[in-house]
Amino acid sequence: MFYKKGYSAFQFRLKVVWTMLAALVTVCSVQAQELSSPNGNLQLEFKLQEGGVPSYTLTYKNKQVISPSRLGLELNNLPSFMDGFEIIDTQENSVNDSWSPVWGKQSTIENNYNELLVTLSQKEHNNRYIRIKFRLFDDGLGFRYEFPKQEELNYFVLKEEHTEFNLTGDHKIFWIPGDYDTNEYPYMTSTISEIPGLMEEATVQITAQRPIDNLAVQTPSMMKSSDGIYINIHEAALVNYPAMNLNVDAENFHFSTHLTPDAVGNKGYLQTETFSPWRTVVVSDKATDIVASNLILNLNEPTSYEDTSWITPLKYIGIWWEYFVEGKSTWAYGTETNVKLDQDFNELTPSGRHGATTAHAKDYVDFAAKHGIDAVLIEGWNIGWEDWIGNWKEEVFDFTTPYPDFDVEEVRDYAASKGVRIMMHHETSGAATNYERRLDRAFQFMKDNNYNSVKTGYVGQIIPRGEHHDGQWMVNHYIHVANRAADYEIMINSHEAVRPTGLHRTYPNWLAQESARGTEFEAMGGLDPDHSTILPFTRLMGGPMDYTPGIFQTDLSYYGSGNQRVNTTLVKQLAYYVTMYSPLQMAADLKENYERFPDAFQFIKDVAVDWDDSYYLEAEPGDYLTVARKAKNKNEWYVGGITDENARTSTISFDFLPPGETYIATIYADGKDASWNEKPQSYNIRKVRVTSKSKLKQQLAPGGGFAVSIKEGTKEEMKGLKRL
Amino acid sequence: MFYKKGYSAFQFRLKVVWTMLAALVTVCSVQAQELSSPNGNLQLEFKLQEGGVPSYTLTYKNKQVISPSRLGLELNNLPSFMDGFEIIDTQENSVNDSWSPVWGKQSTIENNYNELLVTLSQKEHNNRYIRIKFRLFDDGLGFRYEFPKQEELNYFVLKEEHTEFNLTGDHKIFWIPGDYDTNEYPYMTSTISEIPGLMEEATVQITAQRPIDNLAVQTPSMMKSSDGIYINIHEAALVNYPAMNLNVDAENFHFSTHLTPDAVGNKGYLQTETFSPWRTVVVSDKATDIVASNLILNLNEPTSYEDTSWITPLKYIGIWWEYFVEGKSTWAYGTETNVKLDQDFNELTPSGRHGATTAHAKDYVDFAAKHGIDAVLIEGWNIGWEDWIGNWKEEVFDFTTPYPDFDVEEVRDYAASKGVRIMMHHETSGAATNYERRLDRAFQFMKDNNYNSVKTGYVGQIIPRGEHHDGQWMVNHYIHVANRAADYEIMINSHEAVRPTGLHRTYPNWLAQESARGTEFEAMGGLDPDHSTILPFTRLMGGPMDYTPGIFQTDLSYYGSGNQRVNTTLVKQLAYYVTMYSPLQMAADLKENYERFPDAFQFIKDVAVDWDDSYYLEAEPGDYLTVARKAKNKNEWYVGGITDENARTSTISFDFLPPGETYIATIYADGKDASWNEKPQSYNIRKVRVTSKSKLKQQLAPGGGFAVSIKEGTKEEMKGLKRL
């Protein structure tokens, strides 16, 4: 038999190893295996504790970052992988190469690590064996469990993974509550020991949430030790496995994996050969190293797509923000609250406030064409919005039938004539089964109507009922959608999906995700001014976010009643296009508001969405972030700086510019009297000449930011401009 | 608002009713509503018991068949529909018409009933109202709950339906254990009071079963009272609702509905306007009336398919039985037991016993072409069979990739050249989600390769995990598959699906189902000789069964070791083509066995699969059944008679033939020395002349049967034939 052959070969090798190791096995199982990062700053120690329990320790510059922590998995249908192990083989390997992503923050990514692969066997279970693979980069550790195909292990069901991350002190931590269904919590900032006392306050109400019963937080989990070491725990390459939360032992500062269960309480159905996702610990004493880290991307598989030329980063506007601005317009066409897909929607009672009309869509196409925006998202174009939420309804959308007042063909042809793309919208209401059974028809409809990108949404309780947004089944669903979309050359922007783990390397048409509290919450209670200074260290560690920045009219009482506001200055919204990395960037405000501030809007029009390189100039999670990026294949640079509720002065050098060249920098700055809650629209714009030797000292308002575009200029254009 | 308008109109009508009824309401709620069947034999009484509890009573020829039984539903998210009702409206209606099915036992079906529609309102819940619709036919009762769209009722979740069927005595009952996942139990014959003592014995082991925790049996439930009244309880038009089992109170002979739960324990997600399936009680003092009943079909909706010309009843052979006959061949190609769809199946280790090879398929095509068989089923043609069962594996089949030794195009072209169709096989292993996401590709593959029918299979635990074969989600799945198949002009033959409820009227491309213990179990322990005399009164009440008869080599030790046998005579297998009604009939044995008995095989070649009319000549559930049918649009009749383990003499009249005409009858009879367990292959065939006045007295062997074909003949052919 095939696998028998494979097994026999391995058995043969084992036999050799065993013969060689003979009496050494006992020694080996207590002897620690050690591994260093390429620059020597990080040290990993792997060893078997008493009883054959695997464990690891991580040290940074001679300080323990992770104290001895156990590794193992509990199974539902078989003996566990928790103990009784012997080390029967170890292999080391070193890699130092680089690769080019289809799109990204850099056009070339270094991949430099030392690897340790440990094979662990359980004598009492017929020498059933697993492997643990450690990769130690200069900026952190990745490790995963590997389950080779073998006679003793073919199919198994996870009861729980018990990987520990034992921290060494009561670190400062940026956290949100553990939850199986949503990542859309506001961040808490506290020490680890303060988490229990804050959990109730942290667990705000969110549609279709399922907070974890025991004390747990989500990843990416960002921490800072009292001696200034930044530690970020997350996972990479989450495929065919449930997402991980972290159980918190707040007394001992110990974390452990808590996987998302399925409908019957199991945590994963695995078939050898297979792997867990990588567990990642990014470590540095510089906060900028954390946001600059490519460790998670490096641990993902290269794409298998043969042709990626159809995948293009893009900027878009949309019929969207108006749905959040009180009284403006609605996704739904009719006033009814009980509709079925097979009824005649022409017979509904129009509310008169339907957003996605043919005429309105054409207005947005005109605006996009005029300002060089690539695409227009139109939400609410399709039937089903009258009762889409809260009913755990399966047949909620069909993804192919427009409302009576939205003419797909007319909008398609009009947009094509203007060189603008329409972005499709597929809200599923959490009914993933309904989406899957209609997916081929939905994608074919997109091809037939010239759509090449789709925003997907998963608001609500999942169907299959009992499954969770972050469980194995849904993890596989999102990947299925990305894969199937690639067959149709369609790009994906998923909302309410499981938070990303670097899979955009493997599925580069999966451009961006939401999976966190984004701009929409500015219209639903507001985001704290420090929220966007935390996200790059948490949610964005896994991949790009469709944060939907660009709100110029931040005081929402402008639209009528209420005192709702977006808690930033106007200029901070500009800075987001650089600090919130994404190959897909929305200009989220109403077009009318951009028309009111054309000079500020110029930055959104100019800013790139794909980059040759990125420079992380200043960073402190929860406080501030300043980033510069070079546009892909262009001599253009963009700088974004943001601060939390505190005013600050950013001091940056332009040494990322090529030496000896002079460029024109346009600096968008908060007005002196600006702040997130008073005069947020006070700003000034100035042009100066800059070189690689230039320095900028820039004041940021409370809740403010600054943005800089740097371009080549003719002598004519440079004339009269001051040197910075 | 639209529904408000509708509601208002109704409210207006209610107001009128209320005004009219005024003080009468109290009277009305204790006064019984009565309804008679068109011939007056059946009487229904509906009334509100104390506390506003709806109830009904059914009387046949002045004897209670169902004593006062409560009606109602319990909800999970809203107050129940159990009590507190007032009758606010009643309507009566009578229908007497007929319709023509696309295919069936008759070309014209009478539909004659009196109807009572009761509107029930709950004052304490803002006058929320439901309706109960009763239809009383001459052969039984159908009733359902109706949930109109109204402000007080849009979405609701079923906790349980509490419909009672209170029987009036300790009837004889043919039953199988209540189960959420399988109908493949052998039948028990006992009294109702004996059920508890027999349940353990009855609950034999079946793949992916989920017996109900409390005492329950399945429907169709066939009973006979001590005074000779036959009562059959089932349901009709099971759509968007879970299948019903019957809780058994064996002391009081009371049954009540027990719906199949979903993954989280709910029993159904409903949105108004909607209906429950019909609950059916077929009643007669003649057993032949039960099998002749069209009540369930009449309660289903007409098809909405515009074109049905592509739907054609058919006879087929297949590469199938050999998989059950020890040592012959296998579905799987490789000897491995751990495979993945994305691996290279060319690299597997061939077992050398793979059944679905190109050459073997062509042999079967040759045989079909030679004998005028419409189609050849080929199971095991596609990758994935190595580990398809028992692993709750989702990505188990892709439905489009053949094994290395099966050339789809070559078989397609060869079959086309011979005028034979290949029947596709889609085993899902219970992974309905995997099937749905691949369904469009699977059906397109069929179209591309000239398949127009598919046998589907659901062996194993369902995915979505936690769902059951008979739950609402899967009920909708089967219908989705049938509907989508119709879009591709594909006919369905589903195995291990929820048992049928007459939906073949609405979805006539859903030709047949298994959903019971069929011939395959003859190779896995055997079926009792009375099994096939029970099925027409139970499983077949809901619709055609792909029973896969036609086993000529009944002693399976013929193939080698073991003492397994098919527990019938050869001739009984012929009779099944008439007694086991289906528009899809397999000749299930190996072609070699038909070549050994060409004279007996002639009956299988001749017998029709679609009919102008059917005549139920003799019947007693569990004992015997004799049926005659007239072939559609042909002057040909076929008669089948079967008995249980007891020999018997069938006495039938040929008065179903047109008077004054003479035909040639070919009578296939058990040999004098034949029985199911000794000399089952002893048979004789004789030709005689028959008219409408002919009578036949035919001996049936223990476990035997007889079959008759009746055709027109030339004088030449008649010459020398005796009169019967």
Side-chain angles (χ1 to χ4, degrees):
Chain A
M1 292 194 295
F2 177 72
Y3 75 82
K4 276 229 164 168
K5 269 193 212 157
Y7 187 70
S8 297
F10 183 76
Q11 281 289 44
F12 174 76
R13 197 161 64 76
L14 286 193
K15 209 173 168 189
V16 173
V17 170
W18 278 329
T19 310
M20 285 165 58
L21 293 182
L24 291 177
V25 165
T26 322
V27 179
C28 186
S29 67
V30 297
Q31 220 176 25
Q33 307 290 326
E34 288 181 2
L35 188 70
S36 286
S37 65
N39 67 4
N41 282 348
L42 280 163
Q43 303 283 336
L44 171 84
E45 185 186 271
F46 173 83
K47 73 173 181 187
L48 289 180
Q49 296 178 358
E50 205 179 312
V53 174
S55 75
Y56 75 104
T57 308
L58 184 65
T59 306
Y60 177 73
K61 293 184 179 175
N62 300 319
K63 289 178 196 158
Q64 274 194 358
V65 173
I66 305 285
S67 63
S69 296
R70 308 214 299 179
L71 297 165
L73 304 105
E74 202 177 354
L75 309 186
N76 246 341
N77 56 340
L78 291 172
S80 84
F81 292 119
M82 296 296 292
D83 51 24
F85 283 110
E86 291 171 12
I87 298 174
I88 57 166
D89 190 28
T90 63
Q91 289 177 35
E92 293 198 20
N93 185 26
S94 290
V95 167
N96 187 2
D97 58 13
S98 65
W99 56 280
S100 296
V102 175
W103 45 261
K105 296 184 268 194
Q106 286 147 279
S107 52
T108 302
I109 292 176
E110 304 295 325
N111 178 42
N112 184 12
Y113 62 83
N114 292 327
E115 180 178 283
L116 170 67
L117 177 63
V118 185
T119 304
L120 298 167
S121 169
Q122 290 174 307
K123 198 180 263 179
E124 62 178 319
H125 303 307
N126 293 321
N127 298 316
R128 190 180 69 162
Y129 62 99
I130 64 171
R131 297 194 177 110
I132 305 178
K133 184 178 276 175
F134 297 93
R135 285 188 183 166
L136 204 52
F137 299 78
D138 286 340
D139 57 355
L141 168 68
F143 62 93
R144 72 175 182 186
Y145 300 93
E146 302 191 347
F147 307 95
K149 197 163 159 177
Q150 57 198 285
E151 204 164 322
E152 294 300 324
L153 191 64
N154 284 294
Y155 309 91
F156 57 105
V157 180
L158 291 180
K159 187 169 182 183
E160 188 56 279
E161 179 185 325
H162 294 287
T163 300
E164 294 179 347
F165 302 89
N166 293 336
L167 300 156
T168 56
D170 191 10
H171 302 333
K172 183 178 183 179
I173 178 168
F174 302 88
W175 61 278
I176 56 176
D179 194 295
Y180 301 145
D181 276 296
T182 183
N183 322 113
E184 297 187 357
Y185 288 98
Y187 281 92
M188 304 296 286
T189 306
S190 74
T191 60
I192 295 173
S193 63
E194 288 168 343
I195 293 174
L198 293 168
M199 187 54 80
E200 193 180 330
E201 179 189 340
T203 312
V204 302
Q205 209 186 333
I206 299 169
T207 304
Q209 68 196 135
R210 175 59 179 84
I212 293 178
D213 297 330
N214 58 281
L215 194 71
V217 298
Q218 300 197 28
T219 73
S221 175
M222 185 69 224
M223 288 170 278
K224 184 182 184 183
S225 72
S226 56
D227 52 356
I229 299 177
Y230 299 88
I231 305 161
N232 185 288
I233 299 178
H234 190 39
E235 62 184 313
L238 175 61
V239 177
N240 193 29
Y241 204 90
M244 166 179 84
N245 283 270
L246 296 172
N247 296 317
V248 174
D249 171 352
E251 281 178 33
N252 299 300
F253 325 129
H254 288 183
F255 290 174
S256 63
T257 44
H258 181 122
L259 303 179
T260 305
D262 78 346
V264 298
N266 290 331
K267 300 217 161 179
Y269 301 81
L270 301 183
Q271 177 187 354
T272 59
E273 174 174 3
T274 192
F275 318 102
S276 75
W278 296 90
R279 279 60 187 94
T280 61
V281 188
V282 177
V283 185
S284 180
D285 50 14
K286 290 199 202 77
T288 49
D289 286 349
I290 306 294
V291 281
S293 175
N294 286 314
L295 182 144
I296 287 173
L297 264 189
N298 276 323
L299 291 171
N300 275 272
E301 296 299 314
T303 186
S304 62
Y305 297 168
E306 280 172 27
D307 174 23
T308 56
S309 62
W310 52 275
I311 301 171
T312 52
L314 59 89
K315 222 177 287 174
Y316 73 105
I317 55 173
I319 300 178
W320 177 76
W321 183 243
E322 61 188 74
Y323 297 141
F324 293 88
V325 175
E326 196 181 352
K328 280 289 283 182
S329 56
T330 57
W331 283 274
Y333 165 81
T335 57
E336 289 76 5
T337 54
N338 174 351
V339 297
K340 294 183 182 178
L341 292 179
D342 59 0
Q343 79 183 67
D344 184 354
F345 277 71
N346 287 296
E347 292 180 357
L348 294 194
T349 310
S351 69
R353 298 195 295 122
H354 182 220
T357 66
T358 304
H360 198 39
K362 288 163 86 171
D363 282 349
Y364 265 81
V365 167
D366 285 341
F367 182 84
K370 181 176 172 190
H371 295 287
I373 306 288
D374 305 298
V376 177
L377 166 72
I378 302 168
E379 296 201 4
W381 70 277
N382 59 324
I383 59 169
W385 287 93
E386 286 73 13
D387 63 358
W388 72 288
I389 197 166
N391 299 313
W392 223 359
K393 177 180 173 180
E394 186 164 16
E395 301 267 305
V396 59
F397 294 111
D398 73 0
F399 312 105
T400 53
T401 309
Y403 274 124
D405 58 351
F406 186 77
D407 188 323
V408 170
E409 290 78 11
E410 188 177 337
V411 172
R412 171 194 68 198
D413 296 342
Y414 190 76
S417 77
K418 299 275 184 169
V420 171
R421 288 283 199 167
I422 308 297
M423 184 182 289
M424 174 52 81
H425 185 226
H426 288 167
E427 174 57 50
T428 67
S429 190
T433 46
N434 180 52
Y435 191 36
E436 288 203 5
R437 75 168 66 105
R438 296 174 188 273
L439 194 63
D440 279 314
R441 282 170 282 176
F443 284 164
Q444 190 57 53
F445 180 87
M446 284 180 61
K447 291 302 279 186
D448 294 344
N449 290 292
N450 203 34
Y451 295 78
N452 68 340
S453 67
V454 56
K455 174 179 171 181
T456 61
Y458 296 88
V459 176
Q461 285 188 94
I462 293 298
I463 305 179
R465 296 190 181 92
E467 296 290 343
H468 296 288
H469 285 77
D470 294 354
Q472 183 190 27
W473 196 90
M474 285 301 294
V475 162
N476 289 344
H477 165 81
Y478 309 122
I479 292 172
H480 168 68
V481 170
N483 245 325
R484 198 76 190 117
D487 293 337
Y488 291 84
E489 301 193 343
I490 287 169
M491 296 177 283
I492 302 280
N493 165 21
S494 59
H495 282 230
E496 299 90 21
V498 65
R499 73 284 185 287
T501 57
L503 286 173
H504 52 290
R505 178 176 179 186
T506 313
Y507 309 102
N509 64 319
W510 195 355
L511 287 184
Q513 300 190 227
E514 184 187 40
S515 308
R517 210 169 178 87
T519 297
E520 63 187 14
F521 282 92
E522 295 278 25
M524 300 187 290
L527 297 168
D528 284 342
D530 69 352
H531 185 69
S532 52
T533 67
I534 298 171
L535 282 175
F537 297 90
T538 52
R539 160 63 184 78
L540 271 75
M541 291 297 291
M545 178 169 176
D546 184 29
Y547 185 74
T548 65
I551 305 300
F552 282 9
Q553 183 52 52
T554 56
D555 179 356
L556 305 184
S557 69
Y558 174 84
Y559 300 105
S561 59
N563 59 356
Q564 192 65 245
R565 62 161 56 250
V566 176
N567 295 329
T568 73
T569 64
L570 184 151
V571 173
K572 191 177 184 182
Q573 294 284 330
L574 298 182
Y576 286 159
Y577 290 86
V578 187
T579 62
M580 292 286 192
Y581 168 70
S582 178
L584 180 89
Q585 289 283 19
M586 186 174 199
D589 209 342
L590 312 185
K591 61 184 174 50
E592 296 80 1
N593 292 326
Y594 294 131
E595 282 160 349
R596 288 163 56 210
F597 302 97
D599 55 351
F601 186 53
Q602 188 61 44
F603 182 82
I604 298 179
K605 292 167 63 171
D606 289 346
V607 68
V609 285
D610 199 12
W611 311 98
D612 272 337
D613 216 340
S614 291
Y615 312 92
Y616 299 89
L617 309 176
E618 301 175 304
E620 183 62 29
D623 292 342
Y624 57 84
L625 176 66
T626 310
V627 184
R629 305 190 197 273
K630 179 184 177 296
K632 189 104 155 225
N633 299 323
K634 268 190 190 172
N635 280 331
E636 288 183 13
W637 292 258
Y638 294 85
V639 183
I642 59 171
T643 182
D644 59 6
E645 70 280 8
N646 301 309
R648 78 178 289 267
T649 304
S650 174
T651 310
I652 61 168
S653 159
F654 286 70
D655 56 9
F656 52 80
L657 294 175
E661 301 288 335
T662 301
Y663 300 94
I664 301 175
T666 309
I667 301 171
Y668 301 76
D670 291 322
K672 286 222 165 81
D673 52 352
S675 78
W676 61 275
N677 57 354
E678 281 179 53
K679 306 215 173 172
Q681 291 171 328
S682 165
Y683 64 87
N684 56 69
I685 301 171
R686 66 192 197 275
K687 283 186 195 288
V688 290
R689 281 186 294 154
V690 292
T691 69
S692 65
K693 292 183 177 158
S694 303
K695 309 239 181 273
L696 173 67
K697 206 164 174 178
Q698 181 60 51
Q699 182 70 14
L700 287 75
F706 73 102
V708 186
S709 67
I710 302 164
K711 301 187 188 191
E712 292 171 327
T714 60
K715 279 186 182 165
E716 193 67 24
E717 290 166 330
M718 300 253 191
K719 201 182 288 177
L721 294 188
K722 283 191 187 161
R723 258 187 183 281
L724 181 64
Chain B
M1 294 194 293
F2 177 72
Y3 76 84
K4 277 229 166 167
K5 269 192 213 156
Y7 187 70
S8 299
F10 183 79
Q11 281 288 44
F12 174 75
R13 197 161 65 76
L14 286 192
K15 211 173 169 187
V16 174
V17 171
W18 279 329
T19 310
M20 285 165 58
L21 293 181
L24 291 177
V25 165
T26 320
V27 179
C28 185
S29 67
V30 295
Q31 220 174 24
Q33 308 290 325
E34 287 180 3
L35 189 69
S36 286
S37 64
N39 67 4
N41 283 346
L42 280 162
Q43 303 284 335
L44 171 85
E45 184 186 272
F46 173 83
K47 73 173 181 188
L48 290 181
Q49 296 178 358
E50 205 180 311
V53 175
S55 75
Y56 74 106
T57 308
L58 184 65
T59 307
Y60 176 72
K61 294 185 177 172
N62 300 317
K63 289 179 197 159
Q64 273 194 0
V65 172
I66 306 283
S67 64
S69 296
R70 307 212 300 179
L71 297 165
L73 305 104
E74 202 177 353
L75 308 186
N76 245 341
N77 57 339
L78 292 172
S80 84
F81 292 119
M82 296 295 293
D83 51 24
F85 283 110
E86 291 170 12
I87 298 173
I88 57 166
D89 191 28
T90 63
Q91 290 178 34
E92 293 197 21
N93 185 27
S94 291
V95 168
N96 187 4
D97 58 12
S98 65
W99 55 280
S100 296
V102 176
W103 44 261
K105 296 184 267 193
Q106 285 147 281
S107 52
T108 302
I109 292 176
E110 304 294 325
N111 179 41
N112 185 12
Y113 62 82
N114 292 328
E115 180 178 283
L116 170 67
L117 178 64
V118 185
T119 304
L120 298 168
S121 168
Q122 290 174 308
K123 197 180 261 181
E124 64 179 317
H125 303 305
N126 293 321
N127 298 317
R128 189 180 69 162
Y129 63 99
I130 64 171
R131 297 194 177 110
I132 305 179
K133 184 178 278 175
F134 297 93
R135 286 188 182 166
L136 205 51
F137 299 78
D138 285 340
D139 58 354
L141 169 67
F143 62 92
R144 71 176 184 185
Y145 301 93
E146 301 191 348
F147 308 95
K149 199 163 156 176
Q150 57 197 286
E151 204 165 320
E152 294 300 324
L153 191 65
N154 284 294
Y155 308 91
F156 58 105
V157 180
L158 291 181
K159 187 170 182 184
E160 188 57 279
E161 178 185 327
H162 294 288
T163 301
E164 294 179 347
F165 303 89
N166 294 337
L167 299 157
T168 56
D170 192 10
H171 302 333
K172 183 178 183 180
I173 179 167
F174 301 88
W175 61 278
I176 56 176
D179 195 296
Y180 301 144
D181 275 297
T182 183
N183 321 113
E184 298 187 357
Y185 287 98
Y187 281 93
M188 304 296 286
T189 306
S190 74
T191 61
I192 294 172
S193 63
E194 288 168 343
I195 293 174
L198 293 168
M199 188 53 82
E200 193 179 332
E201 179 190 339
T203 311
V204 302
Q205 209 186 332
I206 298 168
T207 304
Q209 70 197 133
R210 175 60 178 83
I212 292 177
D213 297 331
N214 59 283
L215 194 71
V217 298
Q218 300 197 27
T219 73
S221 177
M222 186 67 225
M223 286 169 280
K224 184 183 183 183
S225 72
S226 56
D227 51 355
I229 298 177
Y230 298 88
I231 306 161
N232 185 288
I233 300 178
H234 190 40
E235 61 184 311
L238 174 61
V239 177
N240 193 29
Y241 204 89
M244 165 180 84
N245 284 270
L246 295 173
N247 295 317
V248 175
D249 171 351
E251 281 177 36
N252 299 301
F253 325 129
H254 288 182
F255 290 174
S256 63
T257 43
H258 181 122
L259 303 179
T260 305
D262 79 345
V264 299
N266 290 331
K267 301 216 161 178
Y269 302 81
L270 300 183
Q271 177 187 355
T272 58
E273 172 176 5
T274 191
F275 319 102
S276 74
W278 296 90
R279 280 60 187 93
T280 62
V281 187
V282 178
V283 185
S284 180
D285 49 14
K286 289 200 204 75
T288 49
D289 285 350
I290 306 294
V291 281
S293 174
N294 286 314
L295 182 146
I296 287 173
L297 264 189
N298 276 325
L299 291 171
N300 275 272
E301 295 298 315
T303 186
S304 62
Y305 297 169
E306 282 173 26
D307 174 22
T308 56
S309 61
W310 51 275
I311 301 172
T312 52
L314 59 90
K315 222 177 287 174
Y316 73 105
I317 55 171
I319 300 178
W320 178 75
W321 183 244
E322 60 188 75
Y323 298 141
F324 292 88
V325 176
E326 196 181 350
K328 281 288 285 181
S329 57
T330 57
W331 283 275
Y333 165 82
T335 57
E336 290 75 5
T337 54
N338 174 349
V339 297
K340 294 183 181 177
L341 292 179
D342 59 0
Q343 80 182 66
D344 184 353
F345 276 71
N346 287 296
E347 291 180 359
L348 293 194
T349 311
S351 68
R353 297 195 296 122
H354 182 222
T357 66
T358 305
H360 198 40
K362 289 164 84 173
D363 282 350
Y364 266 81
V365 168
D366 285 340
F367 182 84
K370 182 176 170 191
H371 295 287
I373 306 288
D374 304 299
V376 177
L377 166 71
I378 301 169
E379 296 203 0
W381 70 277
N382 59 324
I383 60 169
W385 287 94
E386 286 72 14
D387 62 358
W388 73 287
I389 197 166
N391 299 313
W392 223 359
K393 177 180 173 179
E394 186 164 17
E395 301 267 306
V396 60
F397 293 112
D398 73 0
F399 313 103
T400 53
T401 309
Y403 275 125
D405 58 351
F406 185 78
D407 188 324
V408 170
E409 290 79 10
E410 188 177 337
V411 172
R412 172 194 67 198
D413 296 342
Y414 190 75
S417 76
K418 299 275 183 170
V420 170
R421 288 283 199 166
I422 308 297
M423 185 182 288
M424 174 52 81
H425 185 226
H426 288 165
E427 174 56 51
T428 67
S429 190
T433 46
N434 180 52
Y435 191 36
E436 287 203 5
R437 76 169 65 105
R438 297 173 188 273
L439 195 63
D440 279 315
R441 282 170 282 175
F443 285 162
Q444 190 58 51
F445 180 86
M446 284 179 61
K447 291 302 278 185
D448 294 345
N449 290 292
N450 204 34
Y451 295 78
N452 67 341
S453 67
V454 56
K455 174 180 171 180
T456 60
Y458 296 89
V459 176
Q461 286 188 92
I462 293 298
I463 305 178
R465 296 189 181 92
E467 297 290 344
H468 296 288
H469 285 76
D470 294 353
Q472 182 190 28
W473 196 89
M474 284 301 293
V475 162
N476 290 343
H477 165 81
Y478 308 122
I479 292 172
H480 168 68
V481 171
N483 244 326
R484 197 75 190 118
D487 293 338
Y488 291 84
E489 301 194 343
I490 286 169
M491 296 177 282
I492 302 280
N493 166 19
S494 59
H495 282 230
E496 299 89 22
V498 66
R499 74 283 185 287
T501 57
L503 286 172
H504 52 291
R505 177 176 180 185
T506 313
Y507 309 102
N509 64 319
W510 194 354
L511 287 185
Q513 300 191 227
E514 184 188 41
S515 307
R517 208 165 178 90
T519 298
E520 64 186 14
F521 281 93
E522 295 277 25
M524 301 186 291
L527 297 169
D528 285 342
D530 70 352
H531 184 69
S532 52
T533 67
I534 299 171
L535 283 176
F537 296 90
T538 52
R539 159 65 183 79
L540 271 75
M541 290 297 290
M545 178 169 177
D546 185 28
Y547 185 73
T548 66
I551 306 300
F552 283 8
Q553 183 52 51
T554 55
D555 179 355
L556 305 182
S557 70
Y558 175 84
Y559 299 105
S561 59
N563 59 355
Q564 191 65 246
R565 63 160 57 250
V566 176
N567 295 329
T568 73
T569 64
L570 184 152
V571 172
K572 189 177 184 182
Q573 294 284 329
L574 298 182
Y576 286 160
Y577 289 87
V578 187
T579 62
M580 291 287 193
Y581 168 69
S582 177
L584 181 89
Q585 289 284 18
M586 186 174 199
D589 209 343
L590 311 186
K591 61 183 173 51
E592 295 80 5
N593 293 325
Y594 294 132
E595 282 160 351
R596 288 163 55 210
F597 302 96
D599 56 351
F601 186 53
Q602 188 62 44
F603 183 82
I604 299 179
K605 292 167 65 172
D606 289 346
V607 69
V609 285
D610 200 11
W611 311 97
D612 272 336
D613 216 339
S614 290
Y615 311 92
Y616 299 88
L617 308 177
E618 302 176 302
E620 182 61 31
D623 292 342
Y624 57 85
L625 177 64
T626 308
V627 184
R629 304 189 198 274
K630 179 183 179 297
K632 188 104 156 225
N633 300 324
K634 268 189 193 175
N635 279 332
E636 288 183 15
W637 291 259
Y638 294 86
V639 182
I642 57 171
T643 182
D644 59 7
E645 70 280 10
N646 300 308
R648 79 178 289 266
T649 303
S650 175
T651 309
I652 62 169
S653 158
F654 285 72
D655 56 8
F656 51 81
L657 293 175
E661 301 289 335
T662 302
Y663 300 94
I664 301 174
T666 309
I667 301 171
Y668 301 75
D670 292 321
K672 287 220 164 81
D673 53 350
S675 79
W676 62 274
N677 56 354
E678 280 178 54
K679 306 216 176 173
Q681 290 170 330
S682 166
Y683 64 86
N684 56 68
I685 301 171
R686 66 190 197 277
K687 282 187 196 288
V688 291
R689 280 187 292 153
V690 292
T691 69
S692 66
K693 292 181 177 161
S694 303
K695 309 243 183 268
L696 173 68
K697 203 166 174 176
Q698 180 60 51
Q699 180 71 15
L700 286 75
F706 74 102
V708 185
S709 67
I710 302 164
K711 300 188 188 190
E712 293 172 325
T714 58
K715 279 185 182 168
E716 194 64 28
E717 290 166 331
M718 299 254 190
K719 201 182 288 176
L721 294 188
K722 284 189 188 163
R723 256 191 184 280
L724 181 64

